[in-house]
Every structure is written in C-alpha cells, then in structure tokens.
Amino acid sequence: MTAADGAALRYVGRFAPSPTGPLHAGSLVAALASWLDARAHHGSWLVRIEDVDTPRCVPGADEVILQQLATCGLLPDAPAQWQSRRGERYHQALDQLVVKGHAYPCACSRKDIENVHAARGHARERHAALPYPGTCRHGLQGRAARSWRFNATDFKPKQPPALIHKAQAATNLIANSIVHWQDRRLGAQQQNVADTVGDFVLRRADGLWAYQLAVVVDDADQGITDVVRGEDLADNTPRQILLQQALGLPTPRYLHTPLVCGDNGEKLSKQNGARALDLTEPLQALASAAQVLGLPALPAEHPHPQGLPDALAYWVTAWRRNYNGAP
Ligand code: GLU
C-alpha cells in the first residue's frame, strides 16, 4: 500500500526549508501551497528544518523562518523537527541499504569523476552534474572509501500495473530502470535515474548526510502522505522513490508548485540573491504567493476578507477547487 492509498483517511503534509537564510518570495509559495493543501484535506501540517548541509546553513535562520511562518499565520500542528538531530536514524537507514546490497562505499573525488568523463570524451554542460560513472560499484580496488552511494544502476524500480501489462503484451519483458510517477500538477513523469544521475550519494565525503537519504527517512518517520514543494525539486523525486522502495517505505503523493522567477528569468533562490521577504504586510506577501499558485485575488468588495485568517480560509476553498483538494 502506498501512503497515498491511506490519504483519503489521513493526510500529513510538511514544509521542509533549508535554513540557508530567511524565507524569500519563492519559498513562501511552497510554504503556502503545502499549508493550503493540508488544510484543504483537513489534514495536519508539519515543519521540518533541513539543516543537514551544515556549511550552507546560516545560524539563526531556522528561528527566523519559523517566526516568518507564524507572522503569515502558517502554524505547524506539532513542534518543528531538525534534521541535524537525526543522524542516528540516517545511519540505520544506510546500514539497512548496505545489508541489502543497495549501497556501496566510493573512493572517487569530484575530480576523479570529471576525469573519467573527460577520458570518455563526454562534453560537460555548464553547471550540469555529471552522472557517476560507476567506478567503485564493484569494489574500491585498494582505494580509501570517502562517501557512500546508492546503487541505482542495478536497482529495478517497481513498475505501475498499467505499464507492466503493456510491457508484457509487447515483449514479455519488464527490464526497465525507469521510475514512473504521477505529479498532482505536472501529470505523468518519468526518469531513468541510472542514466540521469547515476549511483547517487547517500553520505558525503565530509561525513554529512545527503538530502536524498534524510528526506526519505524523515518523510516516512513523520508519516507524510503528501509532499508539496517547489518544481525545482521535481527531478529529485525519482531518486527518493527508489530509496523508498529499497528501504520498504511508502511513497507519498507529490505536487510540485510553480516557481517564482527573478528579473533575469531565473528561478528565485537564496543562491542567486533573492531578497528576504518584507513581512510588514504579511497579507500582501501571501497574496503574491497565492497569485503564483494560480489562486484568485481576494475580493475587494463584500464579503471582503477581514485579515489573515479570513484570507487564508478564502484561499483554502480556492485551492480545493483548483487542485481537487478535498478527498
Ligand atoms: N530543504 C529543501 C529546500 O529548502 C526542500 C526539500 C523538500 O521539500 O523535499 O529546498
């Protein structure tokens, strides 16, 4: 059974910011969307501070984010959780993957990976991550382990029943490394993880836990039935589905929200200098976020929403209409 099968009875959503700075206009869209979806389902909404990548975290940003959410009336139904306190759980999950033969140690540095690609004559697109070439998949050959990787190359994802039927009819074979998933906004999606990213990192050379492992363990431990987050994270979903399957965990439903673009047309992010939100008028900031989500503007005349709670309730109703929120 997937987590989604139980969603008609139970809904648990979450907002999972990385505390690399205060919320910006783009992260508020994701926060509002996940909150609205939870409320539209009469479910609960959790906040998880994703602070595993400690070099990128800004001290105090976690508290600022929680305060900004509160100012916007987006209050979690349970105390926030911090990933930096959950290393033991990530360790257990890695051990489980190693025992099952789904994870292996890797001795390669970034430079080693680049050299293999250069030797194979692969051109590198600017900023594109290079798929891991599999150097250590069958052993370290005397080199010292640096990181741990998931063996995506040899893992066969579960195929959706409709597809199995088709594949059997056509070839009588289901030799398929492609992960298929259904996004509630983007529709049917697929990715061949082995070809696109290769065997991906679970624990980094600096000892830090990788986002992919931490997010999967936490979503499962917190009983998350619905992940609602920015579209920039959509291409991480297949890696997370593979990990869920390898660890025997349920797969939540996914909805990836539209992104906010800066003046240069690029996605707004803390990395490209997005400014912190001005929350002196939280209703205005929320109205901009609601607009990005395709929700209607607040009516100017009667019944004019009186303050934040009214406005949020108005958008919950609109959200339910747009995204089939109510089960
Ligand atoms: N921590 C991630 C971010 O701030 C979001 C992860 C997620 O929602 O799965 O970009």
Side-chain angles (χ1 to χ4, degrees), residues 142-209:
R143 296 151 78 221
R146 293 163 49 88
S147 58
W148 285 86
R149 289 183 181 273
F150 179 73
N151 185 349
T153 307
D154 295 330
F155 190 86
K156 292 286 166 267
K158 283 187 209 139
Q159 298 300 324
L163 222 76
I164 293 175
H165 185 71
K166 240 200 227 158
Q168 278 173 336
T171 61
N172 216 21
L173 268 180
I174 324 159
N176 202 338
S177 305
I178 298 175
V179 179
H180 294 266
W181 54 286
Q182 191 70 25
D183 186 273
R184 288 173 51 203
R185 186 177 74 91
L186 303 172
Q189 306 287 307
Q190 61 175 60
Q191 187 189 81
N192 184 326
V193 176
D195 287 354
T196 316
V197 283
D199 298 346
F200 54 90
V201 171
L202 300 169
R203 189 171 201 178
R204 300 167 18 169
D206 56 11
L208 296 177
W209 295 103

Side-chain angles (χ1 to χ4, degrees), residues 53-309:
D53 191 353
T54 41
R56 286 183 56 232
C57 294
V58 172
D62 47 359
E63 294 301 339
V64 174
I65 291 172
L66 294 173
Q67 187 52 55
Q68 288 177 302
L69 292 171
T71 304
C72 291
L74 308 179
L75 295 169
D77 295 307
Q81 176 172 300
W82 274 255
Q83 286 191 323
S84 55
R85 301 175 191 165
R86 291 181 40 83
E88 214 170 298
R89 270 298 287 129
Y90 308 143
H91 221 306
Q92 281 171 2
L94 176 60
D95 287 349
Q96 199 182 329
L97 291 170
V98 173
V99 167
K100 289 183 172 179
H102 296 314
Y104 62 86
C106 174
C108 299
S109 64
R110 192 167 303 179
K111 191 82 202 132
D112 294 330
I113 297 170
E114 280 171 11
N115 289 344
V116 172
H117 280 277
R120 291 180 187 174
H122 298 163
R124 178 174 187 177
E125 282 174 44
R126 265 184 79 211
H127 303 308
L130 291 169
Y132 181 63
T135 318
C136 298
R137 190 176 310 126
H138 301 296
L140 292 166
Q141 287 151 11
R143 296 151 78 221
R146 293 163 49 88
S147 58
W148 285 86
R149 289 183 181 273
F150 179 73
N151 185 349
T153 307
D154 295 330
F155 190 86
K156 292 286 166 267
K158 283 187 209 139
Q159 298 300 324
L163 222 76
I164 293 175
H165 185 71
K166 240 200 227 158
Q168 278 173 336
T171 61
N172 216 21
L173 268 180
I174 324 159
N176 202 338
S177 305
I178 298 175
V179 179
H180 294 266
W181 54 286
Q182 191 70 25
D183 186 273
R184 288 173 51 203
R185 186 177 74 91
L186 303 172
Q189 306 287 307
Q190 61 175 60
Q191 187 189 81
N192 184 326
V193 176
D195 287 354
T196 316
V197 283
D199 298 346
F200 54 90
V201 171
L202 300 169
R203 189 171 201 178
R204 300 167 18 169
D206 56 11
L208 296 177
W209 295 103
Y211 157 66
Q212 308 295 349
L213 182 69
V215 81
V216 162
V217 170
D218 287 348
D219 282 341
D221 283 2
Q222 294 188 292
I224 302 299
T225 58
D226 286 74
V227 171
V228 177
R229 60 185 176 192
E231 197 176 322
D232 54 323
L233 291 160
D235 68 347
N236 289 265
T237 308
R239 270 170 277 177
Q240 293 168 17
I241 292 174
L242 286 187
L243 283 180
Q244 287 152 3
Q245 292 184 1
L247 288 163
L249 302 173
T251 290
R253 296 193 299 182
Y254 288 95
L255 189 164
H256 289 88
T257 60
L259 300 179
V260 179
C261 292
D263 296 339
N264 57 2
E266 271 185 32
K267 177 217 146 193
L268 207 61
S269 72
K270 288 164 220 164
Q271 284 70 41
N272 69 20
R275 266 176 292 123
L277 278 173
D278 177 2
L279 288 178
T280 37
E281 300 273 7
L283 198 49
Q284 255 172 36
L286 285 167
S288 305
Q291 194 184 6
V292 174
L293 292 168
L295 300 174
L298 296 171
E301 286 146 26
H302 189 77
H304 179 64
Q306 302 290 314
L308 272 185

